[in-house]
Amino acid sequence: AKLEVRRAPEPSDVIWENLGATGAQALSWRLRTSLLLLALSLGSTSLIVLANTYAVYHSAGVLTTLWTTTLIIASNVVIFALTPVLSLRFDRHHHRSSQHVHMLLKMCFFQCFNTIAAASTFFFVLWPTAEPSGPHCPLPAEKALPPGLSCADGTGWSAGK
């Protein structure tokens, strides 16, 4: 049988009250914290998507920009604010160094998840355009077309009579 030897952690790094928790219990608590953060991140992402959609479809100028920007920033900040609180309160790490590493990894993961999920919704939302839905000419109506070109078919320039 092999004997595994590791250097003992510094006493100040040990979280003494968590030493009674088994590895399975600690893993269970970390999983619960991660699921709670996932739910929080999904809620945060939903608020960002709703704010962006509202700003595009119902913009009232500066007021819409102010509240949607505030909501987007707050939705992102809440992840950074609550991850350490939840991790310190619920995760059952035996050492502070591993606790801090796990907090950092969770903050990075959930912020990246939040950003990617919110950004990917732009591919699935039909955004309104300023152009009419029917055929249009690339030049404004008051401008004359260059000689020999017409815009009758609505698909752009065509050489014609």
Side-chain angles (χ1 to χ4, degrees):
K2 287 187 175 183
L3 180 64
E4 186 178 320
V5 178
R6 289 187 293 173
R7 184 172 178 224
E10 294 291 327
S12 61
D13 191 41
V14 176
I15 305 173
W16 297 101
E17 57 270 11
N18 291 346
L19 288 180
T22 65
Q25 288 172 330
L27 183 63
S28 171
W29 279 100
R30 279 186 287 236
L31 183 61
R32 288 178 191 171
T33 305
S34 296
L35 290 174
L36 185 58
L37 284 169
L38 179 63
L40 182 67
S41 186
L42 288 172
S44 174
T45 302
S46 298
L47 287 175
I48 291 170
V49 170
L50 289 173
N52 282 333
T53 304
Y54 185 86
V56 169
Y57 283 104
H58 308 288
S59 181
V62 174
L63 288 177
T64 302
T65 303
L66 285 175
W67 78 261
T68 56
T69 302
T70 304
L71 182 64
I72 290 168
I73 291 170
S75 296
N76 283 309
V77 168
V78 76
I79 293 170
F80 283 106
L82 289 180
T83 299
V85 171
L86 292 172
S87 188
L88 289 172
R89 184 171 178 117
F90 297 118
D91 286 357
R92 300 289 187 246
H93 291 278
H94 292 172
H95 304 102
R96 294 204 191 285
S97 55
S98 69
Q99 184 181 46
H100 293 170
V101 167
H102 281 93
M103 277 193 292
L104 178 66
L105 290 173
K106 285 177 186 177
M107 285 190 280
C108 290
F109 173 77
F110 286 111
Q111 186 60 44
C112 289
F113 171 80
N114 192 10
T115 302
I116 291 169
S120 66
T121 60
F122 285 102
F123 296 113
F124 302 108
V125 174
L126 296 175
W127 300 103
T129 61
E131 301 171 359
S133 59
H136 64 281
C137 198
L139 284 178
E142 62 272 0
K143 287 226 175 191
L145 293 174
L149 294 176
S150 70
C151 196
D153 63 356
T155 59
W157 299 112
S158 62
K161 299 175 185 170

